[in-house]
Amino acid sequence: ILLASENPFYAQFRHVVATALRTSIRFTNQIQGRSASLADHEAVYRAIVARDPQAASAAMRRLIGEVLTLIDTAEPAVVGT
């Protein structure tokens, strides 16, 4: 997405974003009963393909919000505290 934006300012963050995503995936995969929502990710993809920035933003915010809630409510042993 960063590269597709064709914005050199955003593109320079691709390594930071990749590291953050790997860390998030590694963490959330440790939580039992949790799996990535294909439907949530597909909603982001479809909105981008449709060139609908409002829908893409809303879908991404929903996705990130769910992960943040998951992290906030995770058992302390999973979080590492």
Side-chain angles (χ1 to χ4, degrees):
I1 294 170
L2 294 173
L3 295 176
S5 74
E6 296 183 2
N7 182 320
F9 178 77
Y10 291 135
Q12 69 183 338
F13 293 109
R14 67 187 178 279
H15 299 295
V16 173
V17 171
T19 299
L21 286 172
R22 276 194 301 277
T23 301
S24 175
I25 291 166
R26 193 175 308 124
F27 172 78
T28 56
N29 283 346
Q30 294 177 20
I31 300 172
Q32 288 193 342
R34 169 69 181 156
S35 62
S37 169
L38 184 58
D40 289 345
H41 286 83
E42 186 174 353
V44 174
Y45 168 78
R46 289 189 181 281
I48 291 169
V49 169
R51 296 181 142 339
D52 185 343
Q54 288 81 18
S57 177
M60 197 69 228
R61 288 178 187 277
R62 216 173 14 259
L63 184 62
I64 291 171
E66 289 172 5
V67 171
L68 290 175
T69 298
L70 176 69
I71 290 169
D72 285 344
T73 59
E75 293 294 321
V78 175
V79 177
T81 57

